[in-house]
Amino acid sequence: HFSQSPKKLRGMRRLCMEIGVEWHELHYLFEVRFVASETRAVRHFLADLAAIVLYLRREHAALETEKTVKAKITGWLRRITTFKFVATLITQLDIDEALTKFSVRSQGDSTLWFFYSDNRDELFSDLTLLKEDLGSNGRRLLPQLRAGELHSIPDSEMKDGGAFSMEEDLGFGS
């Protein structure tokens, strides 16, 4: 949506300045090829979620927005403001971080073929731990999500120093 329209991207940047948050530049969330790119895209999406929802709601409310665009926005908002969607992204981020670590080590110039089995074993260990317990992102963000808030935008970046309420600002639970 934002990557295909310079006007919408400028509007999103203005909105972020208005509400006092840093825009993290989404990177084709559903079109990434490499694990590190997906990890960055998911992390940025979670950090920018409140601003994205606010922007889409404003665009939806604008009188000049075409009906077909409004229909798309309605579907996007319905999807990205569900507890399940956000919780899945949070847990996926923990998985992606383990995969990124493996990928970087395996593709590094200093990695020799006989290190591969150690790297693979560490990946399996990391993924096994995630089967048994939440990763660092899950431990930090899922309790907030369950409480109806999401401190995905670092509090230091927020104008008012607070988190967005999931029900009031993002529409969770509705």
Side-chain angles (χ1 to χ4, degrees):
H1 192 68
F2 303 109
S3 64
Q4 297 173 358
S5 169
K7 180 180 176 184
K8 289 178 182 180
L9 182 59
R10 285 191 305 274
M12 176 54 105
R13 287 180 178 149
R14 278 193 303 277
L15 172 69
C16 287
M17 287 178 62
E18 175 187 320
I19 63 175
V21 298
E22 177 186 347
W23 173 244
H24 293 90
E25 294 291 332
L26 293 176
H27 182 72
Y28 306 106
L29 182 61
F30 299 109
E31 299 174 15
V32 292
R33 293 184 185 175
F34 301 103
V35 177
S37 295
E38 180 177 297
T39 303
R40 187 178 327 106
V42 171
R43 187 179 297 117
H44 288 180
F45 184 82
L46 285 169
D48 293 336
L49 180 59
I52 292 167
V53 169
L54 186 56
Y55 181 92
L56 290 174
R57 284 191 180 148
R58 286 182 179 181
E59 185 177 356
H60 189 274
L63 296 175
E64 67 272 4
T65 304
E66 296 176 21
K67 286 185 178 185
T68 56
V69 174
K70 283 188 179 197
K72 285 182 181 180
I73 291 171
T74 299
W76 293 336
L77 286 171
R78 189 175 297 125
R79 182 176 184 188
I80 68 174
T81 58
T82 64
F83 180 92
K84 182 179 179 179
F85 179 82
V86 178
T88 299
L89 280 182
I90 291 168
T91 54
Q92 183 64 44
L93 186 55
D94 284 321
I95 294 166
D96 284 353
E97 286 176 352
L99 292 171
T100 296
K101 186 170 66 171
F102 171 76
S103 177
V104 167
R105 285 183 178 170
S106 298
Q107 296 173 21
D109 290 339
S110 62
T111 302
L112 301 174
W113 67 270
F114 52 83
F115 293 132
Y116 186 78
S117 63
D118 291 339
N119 290 340
R120 184 197 63 219
D121 292 344
E122 187 174 338
L123 172 64
F124 288 153
S125 174
D126 290 347
L127 293 176
T128 300
L129 288 174
L130 290 175
K131 282 175 53 178
E132 298 167 3
D133 196 11
L134 293 172
S136 61
N137 294 297
R139 285 191 303 273
R140 182 173 55 88
L141 296 172
L142 287 175
Q144 295 171 17
L145 193 59
R146 276 194 298 268
E149 293 184 345
L150 185 62
H151 298 261
S152 59
I153 297 173
D155 290 343
S156 62
E157 294 178 22
M158 297 282 296
K159 224 180 220 180
D160 63 1
F164 280 88
S165 161
M166 299 310 275
E167 279 102 24
E168 293 171 24
D169 298 315
L170 298 182
F172 277 40
S174 56

